[in-house]
Amino acid sequence: MFRLFTVTTLAMLGFAANSILNRLALTSGEAGAIDYTGIRLASGAVALVLIHRARTGKGALSRHGGSWAGAAALSGYALCFSIAYVQLGAGTGALILFASVQAGMLFWAIRSGERPGLPEWGGFALAFASFVMLSAPGLTAPAPVALGLMMLAGFSWAAYSLIGRASTDPLADTTGNFLRCLPFAAALVLIGWADNPPSLTGLVYAVVSGAIASGLCYTLWYAALPQMSRTTAAFVQLTVPVIAATGGVLLIAEPVTLRLVVASIGILGGVALAVGCGAMRRGRQ
């Protein structure tokens, strides 16, 4: 239990760090969203290959590690995530991202035959109403395009998490997914560098995000997923927006608006209610 708690905590810190590192690079102009994404994916692949070699002593990976579906979900998430963060704060972006993750996982659960009870629907209704309030037009509402892109990133991450629940070798699978992203990453780097090459600082942010906060922490997440239910996996990810918002305030001096605070309480509280009631319902069955 302690090992699962430790692995999950480190993974959540890595998820939040991705939001903060992305904002640090983009808001300062140290890197562009396109090249940042490419460097992040490529550095994640390199780091994972080195970790895999050190752990197994093998220079090459099994062809069975990961999948093209996992790579596609990872690529879609990473690109939409970076572009959306050009116009979103760290906390706001993480809130939209993981609200969308929960929506995607709920859709899949219903599609798989699960039928939420009335309290669960009430929790999701509260979360949805709070999400609408966050995104409604106004001085502090997120830009519509950025909002849509971050929602796509969330749906992609939901798919990546659901694929990961079947993983029996988290390191090999995560490495395989990142390696399959390399052609896409190379194209992004070429496009981004031709337009506006990143500074050394931006390069460092992207490499740290890719090698540690993504590659290593995604491996930890894949290791934790088979040991928890979809409900638990959804619940623990609710901590990420809080961590990211705190980091955004402390490290980037991002403002905390009343709209964000109220929406955060409604979204996180609503999803927590739905997830908790769902767990209780399944426990009685």
Side-chain angles (χ1 to χ4, degrees), residues 231-242:
T231 299
T232 304
F235 183 78
V236 298
Q237 291 181 85
L238 297 179
T239 61
V240 177
V242 179

Side-chain angles (χ1 to χ4, degrees), residues 105-184:
M105 297 184 91
L106 170 65
F107 170 79
W108 186 258
I110 294 174
R111 186 177 183 275
S112 301
E114 188 171 325
R115 293 295 177 262
L118 186 60
E120 293 163 82
W121 282 117
F124 283 117
L126 172 60
F128 181 75
S130 301
F131 186 78
V132 170
M133 184 199 73
L134 175 68
S135 58
L139 294 177
T140 57
V145 173
L147 173 68
L149 285 170
M150 192 58 85
M151 290 177 66
L152 286 175
F155 297 148
S156 297
W157 182 256
Y160 189 74
S161 292
L162 289 167
I163 292 169
R165 282 180 53 79
S167 177
T168 57
D169 190 339
L171 179 57
D173 288 337
T174 308
T175 307
N177 288 335
F178 270 83
L179 284 174
R180 286 177 173 85
C181 292
L182 276 178
F184 180 64

Side-chain angles (χ1 to χ4, degrees), residues 209-253:
S209 175
I212 300 176
S214 296
L216 181 57
C217 288
Y218 292 0
T219 300
L220 295 176
W221 183 232
Y222 260 34
L225 277 170
Q227 302 177 58
M228 60 178 73
S229 66
R230 276 196 300 259
T231 299
T232 304
F235 183 78
V236 298
Q237 291 181 85
L238 297 179
T239 61
V240 177
V242 179
I243 300 171
T246 302
V249 172
L250 296 177
L251 300 176
I252 318 176

